[in-house]
Amino acid sequence: TIYLGDSVLRLAGRGPVTGFGRRLAALILGVVALMIPSGVPFVGFFVVLGVFVFGLGAFYLEAAERY
């Protein structure tokens, strides 16, 4: 969700997410951006599933890099 929020901030002309406030803004923007399509009955399931799968993949890559 932070990646999605960061993408929206970059499209709005803001720089990359560096500080805590900008990270928090990107997280909130990403959550709001994901809540809109997840409200659609059939499509929402696949949006949530895709976010879950990508999140697990990112978690795995981070854990594998640190281990």
Side-chain angles (χ1 to χ4, degrees), residues 6-66:
D6 183 38
S7 299
V8 172
L9 285 175
R10 285 178 191 240
L11 285 175
R14 308 289 184 198
V17 178
T18 55
F20 177 74
R22 292 179 76 71
R23 235 179 243 277
L24 186 62
L27 177 66
I28 291 171
L29 224 95
V31 168
V32 168
L34 288 174
M35 286 178 65
I36 293 169
S38 68
V40 179
F42 184 70
V43 177
F45 170 75
F46 291 108
V47 169
V48 171
L49 181 66
V51 169
F52 182 72
V53 167
F54 280 114
L56 281 179
F59 179 73
Y60 172 75
L61 289 175
E62 185 67 27
E65 183 179 312
R66 289 178 186 238

